[in-house]
Amino acid sequence: SRGLGDVYKRQPWYRPTRLCHAVSGSEFGWRHGTGKWPAYYEDSLPGVVDIGPGCPTGVVSGLGTKFPARYQKAIYLLDWTFATLYAVHLDADGASYTGKKEEFVAGQGLAFTDAVIGKDGALYFAIGGRRTNSSLWRVSYTGSESTAAVPAVSKEIPAVARTRRKLEKMHGPEAAADLGMIAKALGSEDRYLRYAARIALEHQPVESWRGFLTNADQPWRAIMTAIALARQGSANDRPAIVSALGSLDWGGLSNPQKLALTRAYALVFARLGKPSEAVREAVLKHLDPGYPDADAEVNRELCRVLSYLHSPTVVAKTLTLMASLEEPPVPDWAELASRNDGYGKAVRNMLNNLPSAQKLHYAYCLRIVPGPWTAGQRQQYFTWFGEASKKSGGASYG
């Protein structure tokens, strides 16, 4: 997942270079510019490991190396721009994985292009490109730990991962479906399991599962069904979806459920058409009292949906949030930037004068709100643009 270009923009739609688990039907929200999805969108899947700024080139498994077991099991990621070869160590986590990155080989001038495991058990990598010197390198192990070959496939597959694979066998119009299994998985706390269940659901006739919407006592099932129906239903389904979502107690939802709920509303309107005035009022009544929230990501999505619905309170609330936000934390990218004099300079300039992606998101949302605006609010809004233009967000930031 390539993320370098937006590093220099420092905008809300920046996505880090990352390692993803590509399961059946997976969608990672890669779009152009403002169209890129945040990692928390429920109809997408997140990265397993975020690397940060970089230009990814080669990827290779450590199987076949004469390395200690930990490094045989690692996935190796090559970054051309910031001269780093990462070893990513994965652990089973529910229906997917979590991982930790380790800088395996790094140094200025190592413009990594690709790698391969040799028959001798060493890892070979090449560097070069873009008028840099090319060369071939070898990494071998000379320590005392065992380098005995590890099994290529683990026999210890978590039960939830086995369930995910069963659901994935239902991904297809001709696949036999177990609606009971799907319904149960839609309510799971495991994101990958919910995702597999939704994709399976979308391959079944809509008439067979519309009723799942009525499970207001099971928020995940209701939200996931709403997302599926927004994708596979028709405009006639819009009132039922909005009614089901509106029956969920906002205050009783977890942060992931709040993010999924706002995404479900957005999908209904984006895919099934603009809401009527009655529907608009109902959704505002549901969401407006919850804005602002204590969580920054939830606030992003509330601002997005409330701005679309032209909430009469969104301007005042959002400008208050913008005024109260502290300066953003500075990412720990200085060491990476030192490994490339050219690209690194742009990153260092940005780190020294960092713009706020959260404030930029709010300003981006408010641009479509007709009002009500007071003269003071308009002055505050446009003054923000002047201040933001003094920040260093990179070549495309302006």
Side-chain angles (χ1 to χ4, degrees):
S1 187
R2 184 166 182 161
L4 180 61
D6 279 336
V7 171
Y8 307 135
K9 300 175 188 176
R10 185 59 185 177
Q11 292 170 343
W13 42 91
Y14 161 66
R15 298 292 166 267
T17 301
R18 57 186 181 169
L19 177 66
C20 296
H21 181 193
V23 296
S24 174
S26 52
E27 156 73 89
F28 298 102
W30 186 261
R31 304 291 190 275
H32 179 73
T34 60
K36 277 196 284 295
W37 297 3
Y40 52 72
Y41 270 7
E42 192 65 29
D43 49 328
S44 71
L45 290 171
V48 174
V49 177
D50 286 348
I51 300 298
C55 181
T57 49
V59 179
V60 64
S61 164
L63 290 174
T65 57
K66 290 184 178 179
F67 291 171
R70 171 177 172 81
Y71 292 95
Q72 292 184 50
K73 295 178 181 179
I75 302 293
Y76 295 88
L77 310 178
L78 284 69
D79 173 21
W80 186 92
T81 301
F82 295 112
T84 307
L85 191 162
Y86 296 95
V88 174
H89 306 283
L90 298 173
D91 292 302
D93 181 24
S96 184
Y97 299 89
T98 55
K100 294 181 179 179
K101 65 180 181 180
E102 172 189 351
E103 291 189 357
F104 189 69
V105 179
Q108 190 173 25
L110 290 174
F112 292 96
T113 57
D114 208 349
V116 69
I117 308 303
K119 293 182 179 180
D120 59 355
L123 185 153
Y124 291 83
F125 65 82
I127 66 171
R130 295 192 177 182
R131 297 178 296 281
T132 62
N133 292 329
S134 298
S135 54
L136 179 67
W137 298 64
R138 179 178 63 195
V139 180
S140 55
Y141 178 68
T142 59
S144 58
E145 291 186 49
S146 171
T147 59
V150 301
V153 179
S154 173
K155 295 181 180 179
E156 299 177 0
I157 300 174
V160 65
R162 290 198 295 268
T163 301
R164 190 203 82 226
R165 294 181 181 184
K166 290 179 182 178
L167 289 165
E168 289 173 348
K169 292 180 179 179
M170 305 177 199
H171 292 181
E174 306 301 324
D178 183 339
L179 286 176
M181 175 184 285
I182 293 173
K184 182 178 180 181
L186 287 172
S188 173
E189 291 297 321
D190 188 292
R191 181 168 173 180
Y192 281 79
L193 199 60
R194 293 196 303 271
Y195 190 94
R198 178 181 59 78
I199 297 297
L201 193 70
E202 291 184 12
H203 279 99
Q204 312 311 314
V206 172
E207 294 73 18
S208 67
W209 50 266
R210 269 196 181 94
F212 291 176
L213 265 178
T214 60
N215 291 281
D217 58 330
Q218 299 183 50
W220 273 129
R221 185 181 298 181
I223 293 169
M224 298 305 291
T225 305
I227 291 174
L229 199 52
R231 288 163 50 87
Q232 299 297 329
S234 67
N236 294 331
D237 293 305
R238 186 174 54 213
I241 299 173
V242 170
S243 175
L245 294 175
S247 69
L248 300 177
D249 175 23
W250 175 265
L253 299 179
S254 64
N255 283 346
Q257 288 171 336
K258 289 177 180 178
L259 289 168
L261 175 68
T262 52
R263 176 60 174 167
Y265 274 129
L267 285 169
V268 170
F269 304 139
R271 301 179 69 99
L272 302 184
K274 294 182 179 181
S276 65
E277 184 59 25
V279 168
R280 172 183 167 274
E281 291 290 341
V283 179
L284 288 177
K285 184 178 180 180
H286 191 204
L287 298 183
D288 229 335
Y291 183 57
D293 190 86
D295 183 79
E297 290 182 342
V298 173
N299 278 338
R300 283 193 179 202
E301 296 314 306
L302 281 171
C303 184
R304 192 194 306 271
V305 175
L306 292 174
S307 293
Y308 169 80
L309 294 173
H310 297 166
S311 160
T313 68
V314 71
V315 170
K317 289 179 177 180
T318 304
L319 290 177
T320 299
L321 276 176
M322 291 176 69
S324 65
L325 281 176
E326 298 179 356
E327 291 300 309
V330 179
D332 185 19
W333 292 344
E335 172 63 24
L336 280 181
S338 70
R339 297 174 190 165
N340 187 309
D341 291 336
Y343 290 107
K345 181 179 179 181
V347 174
R348 287 191 295 271
N349 288 342
M350 184 188 70
L351 296 178
N352 290 333
N353 189 24
L354 200 65
S356 169
Q358 188 79 356
K359 290 182 182 179
L360 183 56
H361 173 83
Y362 289 147
Y364 180 76
C365 291
L366 289 183
R367 82 196 192 285
I368 65 168
V369 182
W373 293 79
T374 66
Q377 288 170 341
R378 290 188 180 277
Q379 183 174 21
Q380 179 185 344
Y381 184 67
F382 287 106
T383 298
W384 174 85
F385 279 94
E387 293 301 315
S389 68
K390 300 174 184 178
K391 299 294 185 179
S392 300
S396 300
Y397 177 68

